[in-house]
Amino acid sequence: MQAAQLQRKFESIRANKIFETFVITVIIASALLVGAKTYDMPSGFASLTLILDWFISIFFLTEITIRFLGEPRKRDFFKSFWNWFDTLIVVVSLIPADSTDLAIVGRLVRVFRVLRMISIIPELRILLVSLVKALPQLGYVMLLMFIIFYIYAAIGSTLFEDINPTLWGDITISMLTLFRVMTFEDWTDVMYETMEVYSLSWFYYLTFIFFTAFAFLNMVIGIVVNVMERENAKVRAEEEKDSGEPTMQDVMNELSALKAVVNQQQNQKSNNS
């Protein structure tokens, strides 16, 4: 009986919004603490940051323990990727950051503790999952973009090498120059330099910018937005299923069943008459 009460207590703590907000606050404080350590600090303040760092590590360990104990079926805790993610970061962050050969690893992991915001906030999880799921489709877009880059770099290296070997000396340097053009980093200086020799070279730059900065960028945005819409729809369907409320599909199924019953009764009446 006491074990069941403790189980319910841990479940209520884990689902408590105040507890979740406090966890987010500690994560933000952890990120600020990592940033503060990059400055020169008095010895007293440095000792305080060390104490705060260990407090944050212990708090995260306690929070993970509460989430594990609050799981009705303990095996289900490890079925979630985000639980593995949080646990790994918390455990590795317990490595002493100042007195061992693994000090650098410990400091780096403390930097990555801010990534726990993704596992805590559902909206951030949807964004990350959507981006990962969009990668296969984005791969083809990136391949097509690379082909366009390669073609334009070969043309640029052939035509403009004598004008400025630093920017157009070979195809690799030309691709870097085109990346500068695509990101609009002083690209007009590059264009005006070649226009002094080839007056129509502006057409080369404008078509390249149209293909890369406009067309391909919109394709990438469209793919990511499409995947995000599917993920949001999936999350809403799971929430409706967990809430026990009837979904639109359930209503449609009920109407179809009712319509079938009415049609069957009408057929029976027609046969009897």
Side-chain angles (χ1 to χ4, degrees), residues 19 22-24 26-27 53-66 90 116:
F19 177 71
F22 186 67
V23 172
I24 295 175
V26 175
I27 292 174
D53 187 71
W54 276 108
F55 167 77
I56 291 172
S57 298
I58 294 173
F59 172 80
F60 283 154
L61 181 62
T62 304
E63 182 245 340
I64 288 292
T65 304
I66 291 175
V90 170
R116 293 203 58 215

Side-chain angles (χ1 to χ4, degrees), residues 159-178:
L159 296 178
F160 308 140
E161 180 181 6
D162 295 334
I163 299 175
N164 191 337
T166 303
L167 297 180
W168 306 99
D170 55 52
I171 197 167
T172 304
I173 298 299
S174 298
M175 291 179 72
L176 291 175
T177 303
L178 288 175

Side-chain angles (χ1 to χ4, degrees), residues 39-53:
Y39 295 92
D40 294 330
M41 296 179 295
S43 58
F45 190 74
S47 300
L48 177 62
T49 58
L50 182 61
I51 295 173
L52 289 175
D53 187 71

Side-chain angles (χ1 to χ4, degrees), residues 141-193:
V141 177
M142 295 298 105
L143 178 60
L144 184 57
M145 183 180 290
F146 173 78
I147 294 173
I148 298 297
F149 258 86
Y150 194 86
I151 293 173
Y152 272 83
I155 296 173
S157 181
T158 302
L159 296 178
F160 308 140
E161 180 181 6
D162 295 334
I163 299 175
N164 191 337
T166 303
L167 297 180
W168 306 99
D170 55 52
I171 197 167
T172 304
I173 298 299
S174 298
M175 291 179 72
L176 291 175
T177 303
L178 288 175
F179 184 80
R180 170 182 170 181
V181 173
M182 185 187 72
T183 56
F184 304 110
E185 179 64 28
D186 293 332
W187 72 278
T188 53
D189 295 340
V190 180
M191 181 181 67
Y192 290 143
E193 184 182 39

